[in-house]
Amino acid sequence: MQIAQNSVVAFHYTLTNDAGEVLDSSEGREPLTYLHGAGNIIPGLEKEMEGRAAGDKLQAQVTPEEGYGEVQPQLVQEVPRDAFQGVENVEPGMQFQAQTQGGPLMVTVTKVEGDTVTVDGNHPLAGQQLNFDVEIAEVREASQEEIEHGHVHGEGDQEH
């Protein structure tokens, strides 16, 4: 069976940046499983998977536009330290969910200077080309329930 709209796909992957550093991998874990065409993985990788079948191996280079987007400078902001009430030590690398006009946004602390904290709401991989080595493990038709819910259900998954 080939990967197409409403296929359930299981695949192993290794993700590297342009310097060759491994950013993520399914090595030693179960394959990543997703519902094709439901926006469960980044668009550029999903396009590369279209038409492939179990056992296929591929390399995909995904541009920022089809990955996690370009870096948006307006998502980097300085906020007062007292915006983090109840947090003893605010340090670079910490992540928080911020409430914005557009809804909740995950932000990462990038710098702390005195009473000023710099946070970044961009995805950590925004602005980067992503290089995937992929091996497709399984392709099957999605159940009607999976299609209605927009995601894959695991073995015995009766509830959400």
Side-chain angles (χ1 to χ4, degrees):
M1 177 176 183
Q2 290 187 319
I3 297 172
Q5 181 73 30
N6 295 329
S7 299
V8 171
V9 181
F11 68 99
H12 284 286
Y13 67 94
T14 298
L15 168 62
T16 58
N17 61 16
D18 280 344
E21 300 168 315
V22 174
L23 303 176
D24 193 13
S25 177
S26 64
E27 188 174 328
R29 298 183 292 175
E30 291 293 313
L32 178 66
T33 304
Y34 77 100
L35 177 62
H36 193 79
N40 297 158
I41 64 173
I42 58 173
L45 182 57
E46 192 167 60
K47 282 183 193 175
E48 292 288 332
M49 304 278 273
E50 185 87 24
R52 307 291 182 141
D56 285 358
K57 294 181 180 182
L58 65 132
Q59 292 183 324
Q61 285 75 42
V62 178
T63 62
E65 297 80 20
E66 292 195 319
Y68 293 101
E70 294 291 349
V71 172
Q72 298 179 49
Q74 70 273 22
L75 293 180
V76 178
Q77 297 185 349
E78 292 183 346
V79 295
R81 168 67 180 85
D82 61 14
F84 298 86
Q85 292 179 2
V87 180
E88 245 348 272
N89 293 318
V90 178
E91 298 177 7
M94 294 176 109
Q95 292 188 312
F96 297 92
Q97 184 169 314
Q99 296 303 322
T100 70
Q101 292 176 337
L105 176 69
M106 285 300 296
V107 297
T108 302
V109 174
T110 57
K111 186 167 56 171
V112 179
E113 284 185 336
D115 289 336
T116 303
V117 177
T118 304
V119 296
D120 187 347
N122 287 287
H123 188 282
L125 298 177
Q128 295 187 43
Q129 175 169 299
L130 306 174
N131 305 297
F132 289 91
D133 282 316
V134 173
E135 181 175 358
I136 299 166
E138 180 185 356
V139 181
R140 68 170 172 82
E141 287 185 34
S143 69
Q144 190 58 44
E145 185 177 39
E146 289 171 323
I147 294 168
E148 288 170 6
H149 290 191
H151 59 257
V152 175
H153 291 174
E155 293 287 318
D157 185 3
Q158 303 297 324
E159 300 178 31
H160 287 259

